[in-house]
């Protein structure tokens, strides 16, 4: 179960442990009742709105404009931006599994990139960087990606069709229609 919640109260128990009360939507009561006496794995993070479809359209419009001005495919602009500011994990992979991983990982979309860094300290393994496509980004991550592309355009002397006000409006609307 994954949902949003707010912290209602915090207190210390007799043994010094933290007692936390969360406010959740009432439709989880049956599921939570079944878990009452079980030990739970809990992860608490600040909620971030997912990016909107408008943000994705803006991202690709900027990639197209940069690509046209630089005479390179928009896909290449996007992949460079993912590698320069994107989200990734570095993992050790057995030498013989790297190409299979590449086919599977990169088959998920244009921004899903596999980059071999170097030999791992583990014998017979390579260190591989796995980049995630922007479809998995939250609003903060997508904002950083768009800001990078806008800055790249400015450094190249490219005037974007989207005005700063339109870019700001797309950012403001993230989460409204995600």
């Amino acid at each position: 179960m994954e949902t949003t919640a707010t912290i209602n109260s915090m207190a210390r128990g007799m043994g010094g442990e933290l007692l936390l009360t969360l406010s959740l939507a009432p439709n989880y009561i049956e599921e939570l009742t079944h878990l009452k006496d079980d030990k739970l794995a809990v992860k608490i993070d600040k909620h971030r709105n997912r990016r909107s479809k408008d943000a994705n359209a803006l991202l690709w419009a900027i990639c197209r404009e940069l690509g046209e001005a630089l005479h390179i495919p928009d896909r290449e602009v996007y992949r460079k931006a993912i590698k320069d500011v994107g989200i990734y994990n570095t993992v050790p992979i057995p030498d013989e599994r790297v190409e299979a991983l590449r086919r599977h990982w990169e088959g998920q979309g244009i921004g899903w990139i596999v980059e071999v860094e170097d030999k791992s300290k583990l014998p017979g393994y390579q260190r591989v960087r796995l980049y995630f496509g922007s479809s998995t980004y939250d609003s903060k991550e997508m904002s950083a990606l768009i800001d990078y592309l806008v800055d790249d355009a400015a450094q190249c002397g490219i005037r974007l069709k989207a005005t700063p006000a339109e870019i700001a409006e797309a950012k403001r609307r993230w989460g409204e229609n995600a």
Side-chain angles (χ1 to χ4, degrees), residues 38-166:
D38 294 338
K39 188 171 188 172
L40 305 175
V42 177
K43 178 182 178 185
I44 297 177
D45 283 322
K46 184 173 181 173
H47 173 73
R48 297 196 194 284
N49 290 328
R50 302 286 293 173
R51 65 180 176 75
S52 70
K53 289 185 176 27
D54 288 346
N56 195 51
L58 175 64
L59 171 85
W60 281 102
I62 295 170
C63 286
R64 274 190 298 280
E65 288 182 59
L66 273 166
E68 288 171 8
L70 301 172
H71 307 290
I72 59 175
D74 56 356
R75 168 188 178 111
E76 192 174 314
V77 172
Y78 172 72
R79 287 174 62 89
K80 181 184 182 307
I82 290 289
K83 288 175 72 172
D84 287 350
V85 298
I87 311 306
Y88 66 88
N89 286 333
T90 302
V91 295
I93 302 294
D95 292 337
E96 68 275 4
R97 298 296 304 151
V98 171
E99 287 312 309
L101 172 66
R102 183 185 310 277
R103 282 191 307 276
H104 175 73
W105 190 262
E106 292 184 351
Q108 296 181 83
I110 298 167
W112 296 77
I113 302 167
V114 173
E115 184 177 73
V116 176
E117 289 183 350
D118 204 350
K119 288 284 186 192
S120 173
K121 292 178 184 176
L122 300 169
Y125 281 73
Q126 294 184 43
R127 252 189 359 253
V128 176
R129 190 176 284 187
L130 302 173
Y131 291 89
F132 295 86
S134 62
S135 61
T136 66
Y137 288 16
D138 63 25
S139 58
K140 181 180 176 184
E141 295 160 343
M142 191 67 153
S143 178
L145 189 61
I146 289 174
D147 288 346
Y148 169 86
L149 289 165
V150 168
D151 185 56
D152 201 22
Q155 287 184 27
C156 292
I158 299 167
R159 185 175 172 159
L160 297 173
K161 291 177 187 166
T163 66
E166 290 168 331

